[in-house]
Amino acid sequence: SEWSCNWKEGKMAAVEGKETRKAPEWTAPRGGGAKGDPVMVNNSLAPGGLVSLVPEKGNTFTWYGCGPTVYDSAHLGHARNYVTTDVLRRIVEDYFGYGVSYAMNITDVDDKIILRARQNYMAEQYAKTNPVLTAEVVATVKEAVAEHEAKLEKKIAARREEAKGAGAAAETAAKEAKLEEEKLAELRATVTAELVRAEKVLQEGSKNSAPSAGSLLAVAAESLGLHQDQRLGHQFKDNDVIRQHAARFEQEFLEDMRVLGVRPADVLTRVSEYMAEVIAYVEGIVANGFGYVTKSGSVYFDTHRFNDSKDHFYAKLEPTNFQLTAQSLKLLAEGEGSLSSGGPNEKRNPQDFALWKAGKPGEPEWNSPWGMGRPGWHIECSAMSCAIHGPKLDIHSGGVDLKFPHHDNEIAQAEARYESDRWVHYFLHPGHLHINGLKMSKSLKNFITIRQALVGTETFPAVTPRQMRLMFLNARWDATMDFSNGLLEIVLSQEKSLAEFFLVVQNTLREQSNETGFAQNWSESDAAFNKAVLQTQEAVGAALRANFDTNTAMQTLLRLTRTTNRYITENKDRRGLLVRKAGSYVMWILRVFGLTDCYGDYAFSLDENKDGLGGQSKQDIVAPYVEVICKFRNQVRDLAKKRGDFGAILDSCDELRDVSMPPLGVRILDDSNFPFSFVDAEKFMKELEEKKLHAEEQARKKKVAKIEALERDLEGFKKASIHPRDMFAASEEFGQYDEEGKPTHNKDGKELAKAAKKKVNKEWTAQQKKFDKLQGRLKNDPNLLESTQKQIDTLKATLS
């Protein structure tokens, strides 16, 4: 066996001659307060099918979400994870009516944060102390870039070696190698050009006695930070720099989540504020025999002892990753972090991981029973979750890329700490996100932060928070999704349909604001429409119970909007109460999905405007005034049309419709059931401009076609103006003619053959007809040719 431990019975099964680990069979939590039909969910702890989602106690779920490690800006992958989790949480709370106690962590102590903060700081300090371009600065940058290139080349070689194997791990290694190669090429391209420029400045001298090093140090900042940190990182003592770095990106992350409409956690836990709980947690694991202290003062989790003990199993989410393969060791190393010092001589087993890292120069540290140090990455979530929710947890969510080792190690730590065979009942992993079919990568120019996505990039147009959420809702929450231009087009169409649906609903309810003045008995069409609404409610409920199938739920809602539009259009005696029922239900589901938190019953404008007064949207406030204006305009317009030539009045009506109201976000509807609708002003103006440009293009094409036709006519007129007697006179082909001007002999004096004479007669006769026809037209219009030419010139002038 490749493993250095003896697996006990039940933890290893033979499959086609190979040893394959299988996690213990999952069982549903005992007790719980399931409501109605079961909610079925994809639980990563129970692969192979959907399982029933029920809380262990009462009607409330305890839920812990893996928060960010705040070392950099959040990107679209983070958005997919946290917005998707927010949708699931809202469905559980707002649709199914369960209570949820939701905690999320902020990892503000971690290798990535320490390294990024130190490197950024050191690159900035070097730039501050070396503002002038000198030979020494150029030499330092060259050395830093060379080291950076060597590091990337080493990584590429390792990935290429891994890619020689077979299976998914080899494919992943090949992709990573390609991405690293592109990163290396980009580094060389950007820095090399700036180095050439800098050396040229130094060689030629400069009119400026102190040429700036700013542009060179800016493009080489990453390389320079790595270079300086490698030499001076151990001397770093300003822990405030690290705290400020983490605080900056924590604030940015939380602001991003607010903008995206993610519901805040009930409790936010920072590692730096739970150090006592983390230390006590590690002590409990060591006391239970599953952790060990090394001479350096680090504490490790003993994965083999844990797995070999009764009622425990290591790596429940990814059992095969306990095998010592290049891929599993790589994942384990990444989980330990770049600053880990524990080697083969310090660990009992290669799969063991740090619970507590002994202090090292240049890193923040806290006092502990084992000396100065700081927590390992994995222990943070286990300790903080249990500090909030206790030793049992209903739901844990987090990025699918964290399954192993992070989430598997969380599970092992909690079960080791409390000597339990199960810590968490459900593990929910939102799927990966690709951009236009490709993995997100800075080297592919498709690495997009949340803030960049909201303003647009050179490769992807801007999206609003609601459009982003709609894109996620259109995909399976637990599958890889493609954040593509094609999907955005679908979402824009859906958003427009929903906005127009609510405008129609608003107009109908405004029309029937007082039910007393309208009949309320149902016709067959009313009964059929009510049935469609009820069927929609059933179908949406079924979709959400089937693994939170928001895509099907959204398609079902959109079908109801189309059905409602048809019902309103085709039924003059439509029932406002039924329209209200449909509109209210669609709006409720959109609120459940987090697509709108607007005030007002049907506030779903394309501009996502949430401003209002006294609980009313702007649309609700101004609607009565706009209605009065539109009705007056339509009355004037109708009178003008009935009484004849009132062009100026009609033009004024058109100006109100096409010029005055669009900037205010009002579309006036001619000859419609409703006099107006509210629209997004900017988008409506753009739509009108596009229509105008389209109309102008169509008019231009018509003019071009007209010019071409007139030119053909003019050419025909000119040819027809030649008298038949003269039509062959200029030809060098003939020598003799009769009295009608028809050729009889060729230029050599030879009489024309019978066939040639026949052809000449035919052409002469045709010309005679054209000539006679033109002469007839000239009698009526002596200036026909001149007027035709003038038309052509006038049309060409308008084109230019």
Side-chain angles (χ1 to χ4, degrees), residues 281 385-387 389-393 414-415 417-418 420 422-424:
Y281 209 88
S385 174
C386 293
H389 294 312
K392 290 286 186 179
L393 183 66
E415 293 177 356
R417 169 67 181 84
Y418 294 105
S420 165
R422 185 192 292 179
W423 168 49
V424 58

Side-chain angles (χ1 to χ4, degrees), residues 327-623:
Q327 179 66 8
S328 65
L329 289 176
K330 176 189 163 194
L331 292 171
L332 287 162
E334 289 175 352
E336 288 297 85
S338 303
L339 296 175
S340 295
S341 59
N345 297 328
E346 191 168 38
K347 293 183 180 183
R348 292 178 183 172
N349 314 292
Q351 300 98 326
D352 294 353
F353 57 89
L355 298 170
W356 185 263
K357 297 181 177 182
K360 291 193 301 181
E363 300 177 16
E365 55 187 13
W366 287 261
N367 195 16
S368 77
W370 318 286
M372 299 300 289
R374 59 186 175 87
W377 177 35
H378 312 297
I379 195 66
E380 299 171 354
C381 286
S382 301
M384 292 190 294
S385 174
C386 293
I388 300 301
H389 294 312
K392 290 286 186 179
L393 183 66
D394 287 312
I395 301 172
H396 194 316
S397 58
V400 67
D401 53 320
L402 301 182
K403 264 189 179 182
F404 183 88
H406 185 55
H407 292 156
D408 267 326
N409 287 351
E410 280 188 62
I411 294 170
Q413 290 165 157
E415 293 177 356
R417 169 67 181 84
Y418 294 105
E419 286 285 16
S420 165
D421 63 349
R422 185 192 292 179
W423 168 49
V424 58
H425 296 302
Y426 302 91
F427 232 118
L428 308 183
H429 286 108
H432 286 295
L433 177 137
H434 290 171
I435 307 290
N436 283 322
L438 298 171
K439 182 180 178 181
M440 228 178 10
S441 165
K442 288 182 179 177
S443 59
L444 293 179
K445 305 294 185 185
N446 69 347
F447 184 92
I448 304 174
T449 67
I450 292 172
R451 297 186 175 198
Q452 287 172 333
L454 296 175
V455 297
T457 70
E458 61 185 57
T459 59
F460 207 91
V463 296
T464 66
R466 185 167 65 205
Q467 290 161 2
M468 189 183 296
R469 186 173 287 248
L470 269 170
M471 292 178 83
F472 298 150
L473 286 165
N474 273 270
R476 260 186 53 184
W477 72 269
D478 54 350
T480 298
M481 74 158 289
D482 189 17
F483 198 88
S484 66
N485 294 84
L487 179 56
L488 178 57
E489 287 299 315
I490 292 171
V491 160
L492 291 175
S493 175
Q494 291 176 346
E495 186 182 40
K496 184 179 179 183
S497 296
L498 287 167
E500 291 176 349
F501 163 74
F502 286 117
L503 290 172
V504 170
V505 170
Q506 286 175 321
N507 285 332
T508 302
L509 298 184
R510 197 176 297 121
E511 174 191 70
Q512 298 190 23
S513 58
N514 183 359
E515 288 83 11
T516 305
F518 295 87
Q520 296 299 321
N521 58 309
W522 277 9
S523 66
E524 289 185 9
S525 62
D526 299 327
F529 178 56
N530 181 61
K531 184 178 180 182
V533 176
L534 296 176
Q535 288 175 337
T536 297
Q537 293 173 341
E538 288 290 328
V540 169
L544 297 184
R545 289 183 184 279
N547 196 30
F548 306 116
D549 186 356
T550 56
N551 181 26
T552 297
M554 281 300 304
Q555 298 307 317
T556 305
L557 283 186
L558 289 165
R559 277 197 299 274
L560 178 60
T561 65
R562 293 191 291 271
T563 301
T564 305
N565 288 337
R566 283 196 302 272
Y567 169 73
I568 292 173
T569 303
E570 295 172 3
N571 291 274
K572 225 173 184 182
D573 296 327
R574 47 192 170 264
R575 298 293 177 252
L577 292 174
L578 284 178
V579 174
R580 182 185 297 278
K581 179 178 183 178
S584 297
Y585 179 74
V586 174
M587 180 55 74
W588 176 56
I589 297 300
L590 297 186
R591 285 198 182 109
V592 168
F593 290 165
L595 288 169
T596 178
D597 287 321
C598 298
Y599 293 105
D601 287 341
Y602 307 106
F604 193 90
S605 62
L606 287 173
D607 62 357
E608 302 188 36
N609 185 0
K610 297 182 180 180
D611 295 332
L613 299 171
Q616 290 182 295
S617 69
K618 283 184 176 179
Q619 295 178 2
D620 293 334
I621 295 167
V622 304

Side-chain angles (χ1 to χ4, degrees), residues 29-35 53-62 92 96-100 394 425-426:
R30 295 182 295 274
K35 294 187 171 189
L53 178 68
V54 293
E56 184 173 36
K57 296 179 180 178
N59 288 315
T60 298
F61 287 100
T62 54
V92 170
F96 292 117
Y98 287 104
V100 171
D394 287 312
H425 296 302
Y426 302 91

Side-chain angles (χ1 to χ4, degrees), residues 18 140 203 251 335 339 401-402 410 445 613 628 677 701:
K18 296 182 180 180
T140 300
Q203 288 169 3
Q251 181 179 354
L339 296 175
D401 53 320
L402 301 182
E410 280 188 62
K445 305 294 185 185
L613 299 171
V628 170
S677 65
K701 288 180 179 179

Side-chain angles (χ1 to χ4, degrees), residues 72-181:
D72 205 346
S73 297
H75 52 68
L76 276 180
H78 294 112
R80 204 282 160 107
N81 179 21
Y82 295 111
V83 173
T84 297
T85 301
D86 180 63
V87 170
L88 302 187
R89 177 186 170 194
R90 286 170 180 268
I91 293 171
V92 170
E93 282 188 306
D94 300 347
Y95 186 86
F96 292 117
Y98 287 104
V100 171
S101 176
Y102 184 75
M104 185 181 76
N105 74 294
I106 297 288
T107 296
D108 61 348
V109 179
D110 180 76
D111 291 33
K112 290 179 180 177
I113 298 171
I114 296 166
L115 282 170
R116 184 64 62 86
R118 281 192 339 208
Q119 290 164 6
N120 288 355
Y121 177 78
M122 290 182 180
E124 290 167 4
Q125 289 302 112
Y126 185 88
K128 284 181 181 178
T129 55
N130 295 276
V132 178
L133 184 65
T134 65
E136 184 181 351
V137 168
V138 171
T140 300
V141 170
K142 280 186 172 180
E143 185 179 0
V145 172
E147 289 174 359
H148 195 182
E149 288 177 344
K151 185 178 180 181
L152 290 173
E153 286 168 348
K154 184 178 179 182
K155 191 181 288 187
I156 291 167
R159 297 293 177 268
R160 286 294 175 203
E161 191 63 31
E162 293 171 17
K164 291 179 181 178
E171 291 178 10
T172 299
K175 291 177 183 177
E176 290 177 351
K178 184 178 180 182
L179 294 175
E180 294 294 345
E181 287 169 348

Side-chain angles (χ1 to χ4, degrees), residues 261-275:
V262 173
R263 186 172 286 174
D266 299 316
V267 57
L268 200 63
T269 62
R270 295 188 189 94
V271 179
S272 59
E273 298 173 345
Y274 279 79
M275 209 55 66

